Amino acid sequence: MHSAVFLIEFGAIILALGLLGRFAARFHFSPIPLYLLAGLAFGTGGLLPLGASEDFVAIGAEIGVILLLLMLGLEYTASDLVSNLKTQYPAGLVDFGLNAVPGAVAALLMGWGPVAAVVLAGVTWISSSGVIAKVMGDLGRLGNRETPVILSILVLEDLAMAVYLPIITALLAGVSLAAGSVTLAVALGVAGLVLFVALRYGRVISRFASSDDPEKLLLVVLGLTLLVAGIAQQLQVSAAVGAFLVGIALSGEVAEGAHTLLSPLRDLFAAVFFVFFGLHTDPASIPPVILPALALAVVTAFTKIATGYWAAQRAGIGVKGRWRAGGTLVARGEFSIVIAGLGVTAGIEPAMGPLATAYVLLLVVVGPLTARFTEPLATRLFPPKPAPAPVAPADRPAVVTAADDVDPVEEGDPARRG
């Protein structure tokens, strides 16, 4: 009887997620807010609270986080990451200063204490790589000149998680300064070791995982990822960061094949993860925090736009590309929920979960809109100054060609078509 109830409940969840995903795709927006709302509906205080399948959903949610980070790691090589660290680290520092500080200040103003301030700083700091990648693809901007700048910031954020997550894990566990320092040292050592192995022996690892049989490739890559993630968590390093580093270590045809095979699994378990977070948030607890969440969303939307604008300007991108970069970075999503989930599990502040849910719901909806409309709106509000007409010799009139009206930095930008 218990197994029958479990199958009915879990089948209903998966079916509902599929229908919600189709609805979101039809109207060209991210399904993440719908998944969160589904979790609110199935959780405590919702319309149809779950019982038998909740433990399985929790395990599926953990696998979802691991697969999200693995797939992100597959997008980059170790050499790419090292290059990004060398050239784009100032943008990463600006990103941290402009976007983590508002979250920390908000937590302190609400009287939540320093530990909650560190957690909420992470919630407001990290952009959603998944949502942003989907938005850029939908808008046809993957070939734009500002896209490498956006990706560099996202990669730096993900690398920063290798340091940040062990810190908040130690803080939430209430360990001493010495123990926390050991935890951080172990985390940095493991991350550095994996990066070193990826740089020196990435081809060996890829050959080990390589197979012409899709079934064997899937089993080896998934098994290796879960194994490393479990070992990383045992060493008090985030399991998600361990999975991210495994993705970095794989390259070439193995990475491409694994990406194709694992994409459906990632989408399934990532959806389950968002539902799981919603399950642990009582819908009645959201209205009291909606105003702080709205204020925080407005502030950090503007700070993300400023971050992208500054980083693109530093890279020599034209004005329109700077606005596009800033607007694209606004969306928060999976990683904000992961960080908030750690705080909720530790029980540091009951309002953390509702606030993070409302905050992510707001920005995951607004993010695709800012990506699309920030540049045209900014161009209308702050029109570029016309270039001065060339001074012609006195014996002939001035002639202005069409090329004189083109920003040389923007010329050839795919976004200028149409």
Side-chain angles (χ1 to χ4, degrees), residues 49-108:
L50 296 180
S53 62
E54 188 166 352
D55 291 341
F56 186 82
V57 170
I59 296 173
E62 190 167 357
I63 294 174
V65 176
I66 290 171
L67 290 178
L68 280 169
L69 271 293
L70 169 66
M71 299 296 284
L72 185 66
L74 290 173
E75 298 290 338
Y76 308 101
T77 65
S79 58
D80 290 336
L81 292 179
V82 173
S83 175
N84 280 326
L85 282 174
K86 289 180 178 178
T87 60
Q88 296 294 340
Y89 72 90
L93 295 175
V94 170
D95 180 33
F96 172 78
L98 290 180
N99 297 287
V101 171
V105 171
L108 294 175

Side-chain angles (χ1 to χ4, degrees), residues 396-408:
R396 62 175 180 169
V399 177
V400 180
T401 66
D404 293 328
D405 285 331
V406 179
D407 182 349

Side-chain angles (χ1 to χ4, degrees), residues 49 66 134 142 149 170 179 206 221 224-225 229 273 300 342 352 377:
I66 290 171
K134 178 173 175 54
L142 293 177
V149 175
S206 296
V221 172
L224 179 65
T225 302
F273 166 71
T300 55
L342 294 174
M352 177 74 73
L377 181 60

Side-chain angles (χ1 to χ4, degrees), residues 88-102 125 153 156-157 303-304 306-311 314:
Q88 296 294 340
Y89 72 90
L93 295 175
V94 170
D95 180 33
F96 172 78
L98 290 180
N99 297 287
V101 171
W125 173 20
I153 292 174
L156 287 168
E157 289 179 349
T303 55
K304 273 292 182 183
T307 299
Y309 188 97
W310 182 88
R314 179 175 176 271

Side-chain angles (χ1 to χ4, degrees), residues 9-27:
E9 287 185 353
F10 194 66
I13 292 174
I14 299 301
L15 177 60
L17 293 179
L19 295 175
L20 291 174
R22 289 171 60 179
F23 177 82
R26 181 166 185 170
F27 292 96

Side-chain angles (χ1 to χ4, degrees), residues 27-404:
F27 292 96
H28 305 289
F29 67 92
S30 171
I32 292 175
L34 299 182
Y35 295 157
L36 287 170
L37 291 175
L40 293 174
F42 288 123
T44 303
L47 300 175
L48 298 169
L50 296 180
S53 62
E54 188 166 352
D55 291 341
F56 186 82
V57 170
I59 296 173
E62 190 167 357
I63 294 174
V65 176
I66 290 171
L67 290 178
L68 280 169
L69 271 293
L70 169 66
M71 299 296 284
L72 185 66
L74 290 173
E75 298 290 338
Y76 308 101
T77 65
S79 58
D80 290 336
L81 292 179
V82 173
S83 175
N84 280 326
L85 282 174
K86 289 180 178 178
T87 60
Q88 296 294 340
Y89 72 90
L93 295 175
V94 170
D95 180 33
F96 172 78
L98 290 180
N99 297 287
V101 171
V105 171
L108 294 175
L109 290 177
M110 291 185 287
W112 287 3
V115 175
V118 175
V119 175
L120 193 58
V123 172
T124 59
W125 173 20
I126 304 296
S127 296
S128 171
S129 301
V131 173
I132 289 171
K134 178 173 175 54
V135 168
M136 288 194 297
D138 291 343
L139 296 178
R141 295 181 181 175
L142 293 177
N144 278 23
R145 295 192 63 187
E146 73 273 6
T147 297
V149 175
I150 296 170
L151 294 178
S152 295
I153 292 174
L154 296 178
V155 170
L156 287 168
E157 289 179 349
D158 296 327
L159 284 176
M161 289 184 68
V163 178
Y164 174 79
L165 290 176
I167 291 175
I168 62 170
T169 300
L171 290 174
L172 293 172
V175 300
S176 64
L177 178 61
S181 300
V182 171
T183 299
L184 179 58
V186 170
L188 292 176
V190 171
L193 176 62
V194 174
L195 279 175
F196 173 78
V197 171
L199 279 169
R200 293 292 298 271
Y201 305 106
R203 292 183 179 179
V204 176
I205 297 172
S206 296
R207 283 200 300 268
F208 166 75
S210 179
S211 175
D212 294 332
D213 187 338
E215 177 185 352
K216 295 182 177 63
L217 177 62
L218 174 64
L219 292 174
V220 170
V221 172
L222 184 58
L224 179 65
T225 302
L226 294 176
L227 178 63
V228 173
I231 293 173
Q233 189 158 310
Q234 190 70 22
L235 294 173
Q236 299 187 12
V237 182
S238 167
V241 172
F244 176 68
L245 295 173
V246 170
I248 293 171
L250 300 176
S251 61
E253 293 182 359
V254 173
E256 295 176 5
H259 191 284
T260 302
L261 293 171
L262 288 169
S263 291
L265 282 178
R266 175 205 55 190
D267 295 339
L268 169 62
F269 286 106
V272 171
F273 166 71
F274 291 116
V275 170
F276 176 74
F277 188 84
L279 288 175
H280 288 75
T281 303
D282 187 348
S285 64
I286 291 181
V289 298
I290 192 64
L291 289 180
L294 180 60
L296 199 56
V298 170
V299 171
T300 55
F302 281 109
T303 55
K304 273 292 182 183
I305 292 174
T307 299
Y309 188 97
W310 182 88
Q313 183 182 37
R314 179 175 176 271
I317 307 300
V319 174
K320 292 184 177 181
R322 299 171 198 171
W323 287 117
R324 287 194 297 270
T328 303
L329 286 168
V330 167
R332 305 322 196 266
E334 61 274 13
F335 302 123
S336 296
I337 297 296
V338 169
I339 295 167
L342 294 174
V344 171
T345 303
I348 57 168
E349 177 55 51
M352 177 74 73
L355 178 66
T357 301
Y359 175 79
V360 170
L361 278 171
L362 289 168
L363 288 185
V364 83
V365 172
V366 171
L369 298 178
T370 59
R372 185 186 297 267
F373 296 113
T374 296
E375 181 256 314
L377 181 60
T379 302
R380 178 172 296 183
L381 294 176
F382 309 105
K385 296 179 180 179
V391 179
D395 59 344
R396 62 175 180 169
V399 177
V400 180
T401 66
D404 293 328

